[in-house]
Structure formats: structure tokens, C-alpha cells
Amino acid sequence: MTRYILRRLIAMPFLVLGIVTLAFLLTSVTKGDPLTAIVSDRQMNNPEIVAAAKAKWGLDRSLPERYVIYVGNLLTGDMGTSFITRRPVAQDVLYRLPATMELVMAAMVVGATIGISLGVLAAYFRNTVIDHAARVFALFGSSIPVFWLGLALLYVFSVQWGVLPGPGRLDARATPPPLVTGFMTIDTLLAGNLRLFLDAVWHLILPAFVLGWAVAGTISRLVRANMLEILSREFILTARAKGAGEFRVVIRHALRNTMVPTLTVIGYSFAYLLTGAVLTETIFSWPGMGSYAVDAARGLDFPAIIGVTIVGGVVFLVTNLLTDIAYVVANPRVRLG
Amino acid sequence: MSAHPPLFEVRDLRVAFGRNGFYSEAVRGVSLQVDHGEVLGIVGESGSGKSVGMLAALGLQPEGARVTGSVKFKGRELVGLPRRELRALRGARIAMIFQDPLSSLNPVMTVGAQIAEAVRLHNPDLSKRAALDRAKDLLALVTIPQPDRRLQQYPHEFSGGMRQRVMIAMAVANDPDLLIADEPTTALDVTVQAQIMEVLADLQARLKLGLILITHDLGVLAGHADRVAVVYAGQVVEQAGVDDLFARPGHPYTRGLIASIPDMTVEKDRLFSIDGTPPALGRLPEGCPFNPRCVVAQDICRRETPPVRHLPDHSAACHFAFSAPESAA
């Protein structure tokens, strides 16, 4: 087990280098001219300014040179400077990544909780109203586009009924807590401000639900199918013959056996959530990686684009590793040397 | 024997499976009795209803099955008993083990956790520690070496025979009065079969268990059962003490089963087998259900359901029981 994790960790730097290289190459072959992002239209005709800008941003050097410099800087934690915000990309990302992670994790909790509960209920009460209702719910979740759902729910719950807050991470009038982790829920607690914490949670509900619903659908269908299979196994009969009650039979014996494929799906839906976060963040004015990426792409902000890609890739690698470790822990039949 | 009610008494048990309002009976009026410390063998082909009947007796019938008749445990009626009360009996007073010990054990729980669970389900005040200690003793009881280490292992780390020992340990965890063993050796190697039977017989004698041994192999019962019930097409067709049954089988089906036990002392080219297959659910032939496969069937067998004929402590449901000419079998 430890050897397996160690081996995976050793492979990590090489995978990251691969991501860096790919991100760098893909960005450099795009058609857009980054100069348009740096130099204003009026000054484009001024060769001196153009040359100065090129020199300043290193655009006068060859691609391999730029690559070597970039990787060298990356090793010191320098991801270059954003064309648009004129701040170091690393700093921008560090500020925005926690916002996205908070949203994605909340969405994961929502999706997994709803998905697993619905899947279990649907399997246990198969072919009843509960089962059909769960199926319809899952179908809606995976077929309604995130941006439409986000707007619709915002309109109904925030604008019409006013039961949930509008976009943003906190009430617009509130003073944000000092930045420590970047997770609003944690920072408000660290600041000892319970009211602000509840406000942060309040603001998380809608975007987390919008993002989590689709995942809930996928998870519930998978859990239902697996539960049906497991519930027909003989060890379920053994558990009943031991005198175990139905709740124990379903949760302790059946559900635990479906955790292996479920964990895998939860882990891999991280990638989906990161992608979905782009749209959700835009709709909910969430200052995360998604909206940052959209701005960067629109403005041909190359350093930011590469930075976002690398960080996204690394996040994905880490979740995959965690998923695989969880897989081993949940499944004693997998033996790894 | 005494004024005590028998340990386990089944009267006219019927289990039917329904589809669109039509029910077909898989168990068609079975009556059995097991006394304290007695070993009853139930023998029959697969699909004869022997397993389904015993599961239904404990309220473990498959979904959608209809169970009627009477099942009494120490005089207490189990059919129609509330689920909570049935649960309190299952695993405590009445335990069960199944055919395939690999699929019968939960693959993601350690063996120790599974045995301890059986203990704690019926002794909720017991600590986890104490339950695990008890589990260790139980593993030792079924002669599993190094019980300390084995407790922390998962079922896939055990051999087939060892797994069945674990199942047995789990079944006797709460010192039950009755153990129902459904084909306990069928999925195992021949040499291992003998060991498991030995463990079962030893525990049965030591714990004074009432034991119901369900099998399709009459040979298994020869050395282990006190009485035998032969089941065909959801009914008991013959019931007798084991020696009596082997000496004077009253039903042609029983004679066929005896003849198909491999005999290592006689050299034979081919093993005897009963022609044909048991009737499918809901497709019983007219008259005696066994008549299409019976070597001595007469006209009456195709017309009339045979009555149960009795000798002292011996009964058989055949028109010619105890009087028919010995068949070719």
C-alpha cells in the first residue's frame, strides 16, 4: 500500500511536466496574437512600443527558449504575469483556486449525498413510485444544462421568492473576513464570525446544488444498479439469517459493497465538476478559476491560460490519486505491492 | 417422548410464487419435525423445494412468495410472526448456513467483524472487544488454526473449507437450538467435504443442536442423520429413520437415489441415474408427480395422487409403497 502510493507520487512530477509541456505547446499554436492583449489598437502602429512590449513579455524569443524559461520560472513558483490583471498568475490562481475548490467540494457533497441516498432508495424500493421518481430526478439532473438550471433557480429562489441569496460568495454589503485559506466558510469561522459563516453557506447552496445535481444523477443510477446486484447476493441472505435488520442489511452489508465503483465515479466526476464550474461561476459571479479562465481565454491572456490549465491538470492528478487510494482502502481484494 | 413440544415442527407448509395473480406452488404441503439434538436429513434434487421451504420457514422467502401452513419453533408459531420477533430468533435460536461459503460471506468485511456482528446483534450490550474475543473462541471451536491472525483477514484469504468453517462458527455464535445447513458441502472438494461434516457432527453432538441437513446426496446422510425426509416436487415422499430408509426404501424415487450413490467397493462401468428431470414449477403431471420417471409406474399412478402409506416410524407416498415388487434399481 505505502509502496504503491510512493510509486504514484514518484510518477507525479513527470505527469506534471507533461501537462506543462502540453499546455504550453497548445497555447502557442493558437491563432490569436497575444500582442493585441498587451498593446492597445492605437499603439499597434508604433513599432517602438510593439518592440518594447515584445521584449518586456519575452515574445521576441523563440518558442523553445520561452519554454525553457517558463519551466525554469515554474520551478521557483513563478507562473509569469497576467497580461490582463498585471499581477503574478500564481497569485491570481492562489486567490481563486480555493473559491473553486469550495464550490466543487460543496457540489460533490451535495451530489454524493443526494445520489447515494436516491440510488439506495430506488434499488430497495425498485419498481415503485420512489424508484420512478428517483429516475426522473436523475434524468433531469444529467440532461438540463448547468447554465440554464443556474439561471432558472436564481430567478425562482432568489428573484421571485427571495428565499436564497443572489450571486456572489457573501452578501454584497458584508465585509469579507481576512483571507487565510481562501475558503469563505473556513475563513469566516477563523474570524469567529458565525453570522458571516452562515451567510457564506447560504450563498453556497444554489451554485452547489446546480453543479451537484448532474453528478447526483450519475451517482444515483450507478448506485441503484450496483445495489440491485448486491442485494441479490447470498451474503445478504446470510446477514438476514444472522438476524440483522433491513437498515443494517442495506447500509452495512449492501452499500459498503457498492462503495468501490461509487468512489471511482465520485472521484472521476471531479473533472466534470471542474469543467461545470466554469459556467456555474460565471452565472453566480463566483470569483473562482472558472471565471478567471473565461476572462483569460477571451483576452488571449497566455500566461493565465497556461497557469489555469496546469493547476487544473494538477488538481485532476491529485484527485485521481486520492480516488485510487480510496479504491484500495474500500476494496480489500485489491492487493498492491 | 415428553410433554414438551418438539423443537421444530412444520405442518403443511406451502410456498407459492405468483405472477399476474396466478400462483404456482414450489413447496406443496410439507410436514416435518425435528427434536432437540436430533439430526434430520432432507434429500432431494435441485429445484425440489427443499431450500425454499426452509428459508420460508424462517421468513426468508424471496420477495413475492406466498407462505401458508404452520411452522412451530418450541411450540411458537413462526408463520405470520412480526418481522422484529423473527429477527430476534434468527441467528440466535435458529441459525443457517448455505451452500457456497464464498458468496455467503461479505467480501468487504473481515471475518472477525462478521462473526462479531452475529454475536452483537443478539447481545447488544457486549463490547466490540468482547465480541471479537468470542469470535476468536468460535474460530478455535471450528478448528481454524491461528484464530488471532485469521480474525483480521477477509473471506478471499480463506480456502473453501476454511470459509465454510467460518460460516459454521458464525452460525453457532449464539448457541442456537436449531441449525439448518443448506447443502453445506456441495461446493467443496470431496476431501474437504468429509472434514466439514466432521466439524458439523462434532458441534452438533457437543452443543446438542437440532440439525437439519439439506442435501441432494443421500450418501452424505448415511453416517450423519438420525432420520431422513425425501422430497420430490415440493412434497415429502418418504420419511423414515436413516437405517430403515436404506434397508427398506418404500418409494421408487428413494430406491433410485440409493442406487445412484457411488459404491467404491463394487466395480461398475456406469453410475446409476434416474432418467428424466423433476417437473418444472407449475407443470405437475397428473396422478403421482414422480410417475413419468418411475420404473414401476402403473395406470393408477398416472390417474391418482398416491396416499401416504405408513409403517411404524416410516411413511411413503406411493401406491405401491412397501408392497411393490423390487424394481430394477
Side-chain angles (χ1 to χ4, degrees):
Chain A
M1 181 75 188
T2 22
R3 273 185 58 193
Y4 170 72
I5 297 172
L6 215 65
R7 224 167 44 201
R8 293 285 305 259
L9 285 176
I10 290 169
M12 274 295 210
F14 298 98
L15 291 168
V16 174
L17 186 69
I19 292 175
V20 171
T21 311
L22 264 180
F24 197 86
L25 285 176
L26 284 177
T27 315
S28 59
V29 297
T30 43
K31 280 264 158 43
D33 183 355
L35 272 180
T36 54
I38 309 163
V39 184
S40 70
D41 285 347
R42 254 186 316 122
Q43 291 170 321
M44 267 302 191
N45 299 324
N46 188 335
E48 257 175 64
I49 289 184
V50 170
K54 273 191 172 174
K56 179 173 183 234
W57 296 97
L59 291 169
D60 53 347
R61 298 175 195 243
S62 70
L63 187 65
E65 256 183 299
R66 268 152 55 194
Y67 174 73
V68 172
I69 294 170
Y70 186 84
V71 173
N73 286 343
L74 196 60
L75 288 176
T76 65
D78 181 1
M79 302 179 103
T81 306
S82 161
F83 292 165
I84 299 176
T85 66
R86 306 282 158 142
R87 278 193 302 264
V89 171
Q91 192 190 317
D92 277 352
V93 165
L94 220 58
Y95 169 71
R96 285 167 170 270
L97 184 62
T100 297
M101 293 306 279
E102 187 170 44
L103 174 61
V104 166
M105 282 174 180
M108 193 71 96
V109 169
V110 169
T113 312
I114 297 180
I116 292 175
S117 327
L118 277 186
V120 168
L121 285 173
Y124 193 76
F125 298 104
R126 59 191 160 280
N127 301 327
T128 64
V129 186
I130 295 173
D131 187 12
H132 299 316
R135 199 171 310 162
V136 171
F137 182 85
L139 187 70
F140 271 92
S142 30
S143 50
I144 299 178
V146 169
F147 58 88
W148 187 87
L149 183 66
L151 288 174
L153 291 186
L154 260 183
Y155 180 72
V156 174
F157 286 95
S158 179
V159 179
Q160 289 284 14
W161 297 351
V163 289
L164 286 171
R169 297 179 80 182
L170 281 178
D171 192 287
R173 285 155 298 178
T175 324
L179 187 99
V180 186
T181 60
F183 284 74
M184 197 58 86
T185 46
I186 298 177
D187 284 355
T188 49
L189 278 183
L190 287 178
N193 194 333
L194 194 67
R195 220 174 45 80
L196 219 50
F197 167 74
L198 290 177
D199 192 40
V201 172
W202 210 230
H203 275 80
L204 251 178
I205 293 178
L206 261 190
F209 181 76
V210 165
L211 200 48
W213 191 353
V215 181
T218 317
I219 294 175
S220 79
R221 275 176 299 171
L222 179 94
V223 170
R224 179 186 183 273
N226 277 301
M227 279 295 280
L228 279 182
E229 205 262 313
I230 298 287
L231 280 173
S232 68
R233 297 268 202 90
E234 206 143 292
F235 64 80
I236 295 297
L237 190 61
T238 306
R240 290 195 172 118
K242 271 195 225 178
E246 287 304 284
F247 186 77
R248 175 177 275 271
V249 167
V250 170
I251 303 298
R252 283 283 307 255
H253 289 272
L255 184 60
R256 252 178 87 171
N257 272 278
T258 65
M259 276 342 277
V260 173
T262 310
L263 276 175
T264 317
V265 162
I266 291 178
Y268 294 153
S269 51
F270 223 88
Y272 172 86
L273 287 175
L274 283 175
T275 330
V278 173
L279 294 166
T280 316
E281 284 176 7
T282 314
I283 291 162
F284 287 91
S285 320
W286 203 263
M289 294 282 284
S291 45
Y292 187 65
V294 170
D295 291 343
R298 275 211 199 110
L300 286 177
D301 188 350
F302 279 17
I305 295 175
I306 302 175
V308 167
T309 313
I310 293 171
V311 171
V314 170
V315 168
F316 189 63
L317 279 182
V318 171
T319 38
N320 266 4
L321 177 65
L322 291 179
T323 307
D324 288 350
I325 292 173
Y327 182 89
V328 178
V329 172
N331 187 356
R333 282 160 294 184
V334 179
R335 275 275 166 273
L336 298 157
Chain B
M1 242 173 49
S2 67
H4 283 299
L7 180 66
F8 191 64
E9 189 180 17
V10 178
R11 286 282 163 263
D12 198 31
L13 181 70
R14 289 168 189 274
V15 183
F17 292 95
R19 183 185 267 181
N20 306 329
F22 290 99
Y23 279 87
S24 321
E25 286 190 327
V27 178
R28 306 183 300 126
V30 163
S31 299
L32 297 167
Q33 185 175 321
V34 185
D35 283 313
H36 291 271
E38 188 187 31
V39 182
L40 171 71
I42 300 181
V43 66
E45 284 160 284
S46 17
S48 60
K50 50 198 194 314
S51 299
V52 166
M54 282 305 112
L55 285 174
L58 302 188
L60 291 172
Q61 67 273 17
E63 220 172 302
R66 190 182 64 188
V67 181
T68 53
S70 159
V71 177
K72 281 186 175 158
F73 178 72
K74 292 180 167 176
R76 186 174 176 204
E77 181 59 56
L78 299 189
V79 176
L81 199 68
R83 282 213 290 194
R84 171 177 286 277
E85 288 175 49
L86 262 179
R87 273 211 308 268
L89 284 177
R90 287 203 293 255
R93 312 297 358 121
I94 308 174
M96 226 175 153
I97 60 176
F98 303 101
Q99 176 169 338
D100 183 351
L102 179 58
S103 50
S104 300
L105 288 166
N106 190 330
V108 302
M109 279 169 83
T110 61
V111 159
Q114 296 189 57
I115 301 176
E117 184 190 27
V119 174
R120 288 188 80 208
L121 273 171
H122 300 283
N123 304 280
D125 298 334
L126 213 62
S127 71
K128 270 194 177 153
R129 197 52 283 119
L132 275 173
D133 280 343
R134 171 93 179 115
K136 192 179 73 185
D137 295 342
L138 286 162
L139 284 188
L141 186 70
V142 293
T143 60
I144 289 183
Q146 296 180 281
D148 259 329
R149 193 173 62 86
R150 288 301 214 164
L151 275 185
Q152 290 149 30
Q153 292 184 327
Y154 289 91
H156 71 272
E157 297 171 78
F158 284 66
S159 68
M162 285 295 164
R163 281 179 209 138
Q164 196 58 295
R165 282 170 204 252
V166 170
M167 282 298 288
I168 295 171
M170 203 154 77
V172 300
N174 295 300
D175 233 328
D177 301 306
L178 177 67
L179 174 63
I180 300 175
D182 187 358
E183 305 260 10
T185 60
T186 305
L188 305 173
D189 290 344
V190 185
T191 47
V192 181
Q193 283 184 7
Q195 293 167 14
I196 292 297
M197 283 314 297
E198 209 172 288
V199 171
L200 264 181
D202 176 55
L203 278 179
Q204 188 272 330
R206 265 208 273 175
L207 305 174
K208 300 199 173 46
L209 284 170
L211 175 64
I212 297 180
L213 206 52
I214 303 174
T215 176
H216 65 273
D217 179 2
L218 198 51
V220 169
L221 299 180
H224 295 286
D226 299 316
R227 277 186 314 113
V228 176
V230 182
V231 175
Y232 187 79
Q235 283 176 324
V236 175
V237 293
E238 180 156 12
Q239 201 165 171
V242 67
D243 297 332
D244 202 16
L245 187 91
F246 276 96
R248 249 180 311 160
H251 198 286
Y253 181 58
T254 313
R255 287 200 290 275
L257 288 178
I258 293 173
S260 47
I261 300 171
D263 185 348
M264 296 308 171
T265 57
V266 186
E267 211 161 302
K268 263 197 283 190
D269 289 342
R270 295 189 57 181
L271 196 58
F272 176 83
S273 72
I274 305 169
D275 284 335
T277 51
L281 193 65
R283 299 221 172 151
L284 286 173
E286 200 150 331
C288 172
F290 186 61
N291 87 67
R293 305 173 70 187
C294 183
V295 284
V296 295
Q298 308 293 315
D299 277 348
I300 186 174
C301 305
R302 291 181 262 276
R303 285 196 320 269
E304 286 170 35
T305 311
V308 179
R309 290 166 180 268
H310 292 275
L311 289 182
D313 295 322
H314 193 154
S315 63
C318 173
H319 290 292
F320 303 105
F322 314 121
S323 61
E326 285 294 312
S327 74

